[in-house]
Amino acid sequence: MKKNSPETSSPEHTGSRRDFLGKSALAGLVTAGATIGLTGCKEEAAPGKVAVPAKPADSGEHIKPGQLDTYYAFISAGHGGEVRVLGLPSGRTLKRIPVFNTDCMVGWGITNESKAIIGTKPDGSLQYTTGDTHHVHGSYKDGTYDSRWLFVNDKINARLARIRMDTMECDKITSLPNVMGFHGIFPDKRDPVDAAINYTTRVFCGTEFHMPLPNDGRDLDDPTKWGCLFTCVDAASMEVRWQCRIDGNMELVASSYDGKLAAATQYNTEGGADLAGMMSAERDACIFFNVARIEQAIKDGKATTIGASKVPVVDGRKAASDNPATALTCYVPVGKNPHGVNASPDGKYFVCAGKLSPTATVIELSKVLGWFGGEVKQPRDCVVAEPELGLGPLHTAFDGKGNAFTSLFLDSAVVKWNVDASIAQFKGDKTAKVVLDRIDVHYQPGHGYASMGETREADGKYFNSGNKFSKDRFLPVGPLHCETEQLIDISGAKMSLMADHTAYPEPHDGIIVRRDVVKTRQIHTMTDFPNAVTPETAGIERKGNKVQVRMMSQAPSFSLPIIKVKVGDEVTLTLTNYDKVEDLTHGCAIPTHNINFIVNPQETKSVTFKTDKAGAYWIYCTHFCHALHLEMRSRLLVEA
């Protein structure tokens, strides 16, 4: 499929579904027997009739019927394996984007196209049917979101996925070699080498678990020989660019606005293989990667490879980075067992939350660059503040006004604090008022993020708290309770809880994006699909026991009323939706053959299956499309 740039990915609408259904139902009754190719593809709008779009909400307090939300929230869904799209402040679920899971509504993991993205075994079955998404982040241009891509990780199977924001569908999944427990990700905000490129070119990926390198059965009983790799993936090609071996392991990842630095928190600098071993040190670290130096070292031939992988690997362990003039990495000591690391919108600081320390650590990025340049003596000298916030700090967000908001897991609260005041306090100002406000959430928040808070356009409107427990907040539904996304108004001096939104377990990291930033398309372009079915190519073609069925759909009919095949045939059914009306999607289901998928307007999808039992099977539309939706059927006749 061709890629579409944000500038060209919003075609002119060709009519509304309401107009189409309202005036074409009667015509459909008359022409139900007509086949595609005999009727026009485009429904023209009725003269003098103009569809009235929904109005954006003027106030964030309440979204009335007919109003649009002012923000999108893109949230990773944990071991559900998908990405969820909410409208905020209403909390309405707008879409569930399947990524590492299977989804029989859209046919993700069923169609040939989705299988090719997910990856298959030699027999054609999916390589994996599980996933564990944790972090979702958008691509950047000029320090803010550009509506090109979303990126999300799979912690279980070490995969990085990319989602097109114009269609909100996954278009690429890449496996990371030599990695286990792939947790944190973040795109670069501009190119770290070419200053003229002011948009995302790379995605940085942190590894949480140690493993033997290579993991081929060696050193199984000696975890001291195991290691972790930080990975860089090309955002456009989704190919792995390079990896960097480090001491310890990594948790979450951040990137600087100038493109020069990437960083990851480390909660196991000890390299422990059990709980006690992972908690013995009083301080852990935030490791910084000098991206330009790493890529120059690879050009200079200073990289190796691991096992069968061809990906270049450089050495970023402390022993190899003891000289700042040549170091590839810098290990800045921070509070014990840190979790989140987040970049302030002014581009000056990274904030690491301590988890087992009641503190957050503020690191000045210019000082990190100063350490690499030999101007700062010790990595710890890059720390400019370490305020005490409460128990179990995990994630920090920003309002663009100098304030930070940190989730406190053990305190079940969110704390608002001022960055400049924390720096003043660290320098000895005992009058500095660091903590400005606290608000209880229910209960035990993990991830928290603010509206546009990961960009230079942080607007200080909303903070979303993804809570791991709900207990008495909602009706009980058995042993597994739903969880909560709590929306907090952070626009005033005091935070106020606006709403509880239910979340299917379990809510993880996300971003809140202004609706005007997101540029979607409602109709595909048929020529984007090389296998699109045309009236000239439609029909049935047999080569031995392999049968190609090429079919078109246009409400309320499929172009092939009868499809005859034989027992034992391998059938590939390709379906193109010829409707051009926004939201006029068709489904295609075949009983007992495990086939169910949808095709959006002007889209093409295909499935391959074997016919193992003689009989008659109705192919029917599963997605309501027309007054004669129930009559939209074809017959699959399997001869013995």
Side-chain angles (χ1 to χ4, degrees), residues 188-195 197-199 201-202 258-259:
D188 65 3
K189 299 183 178 75
R190 64 180 302 153
D191 192 281
V193 177
D194 187 344
I197 300 177
N198 194 11
Y199 55 83
T201 57
R202 297 159 175 80
D258 63 7

Side-chain angles (χ1 to χ4, degrees), residues 6 30 38 56 65 99 108 116 147 176 225-226 259 279 319 331 406 479 488 514 598 604 634-635:
V30 175
L38 301 179
V99 182
W108 191 253
S147 196
L176 308 186
K225 295 182 179 179
W226 299 5
M279 297 172 61
Y331 293 75
T406 299
I488 299 169
R514 288 197 326 269
I598 62 171
T604 299
S634 292
R635 284 167 283 168

Side-chain angles (χ1 to χ4, degrees), residues 80 82 98-105 107-110 118 126 128-129:
E82 63 188 16
V99 182
F100 303 113
N101 56 320
T102 58
D103 187 315
C104 64
M105 194 284 281
W108 191 253
I110 298 171
I118 298 171
L126 292 177
Y128 302 109
T129 57

Side-chain angles (χ1 to χ4, degrees), residues 49-69:
K49 186 175 182 181
V50 179
V52 179
K55 297 178 181 179
D58 295 325
S59 166
E61 297 305 316
H62 178 66
I63 302 297
K64 297 177 182 178
Q67 288 184 321
L68 297 179
D69 281 289

Side-chain angles (χ1 to χ4, degrees), residues 55-125:
K55 297 178 181 179
D58 295 325
S59 166
E61 297 305 316
H62 178 66
I63 302 297
K64 297 177 182 178
Q67 288 184 321
L68 297 179
D69 281 289
T70 49
Y71 295 86
Y72 288 89
F74 300 95
I75 307 172
S76 53
H79 40 285
E82 63 188 16
V83 170
R84 296 168 189 156
V85 186
L86 271 60
L88 292 181
S90 73
R92 296 178 293 207
T93 297
L94 304 178
K95 187 169 185 176
R96 296 168 60 182
I97 305 173
V99 182
F100 303 113
N101 56 320
T102 58
D103 187 315
C104 64
M105 194 284 281
V106 301
W108 191 253
I110 298 171
T111 64
N112 293 328
E113 292 76 16
S114 63
K115 284 184 174 181
I117 293 170
I118 298 171
T120 57
K121 299 176 182 177
D123 65 359
S125 63

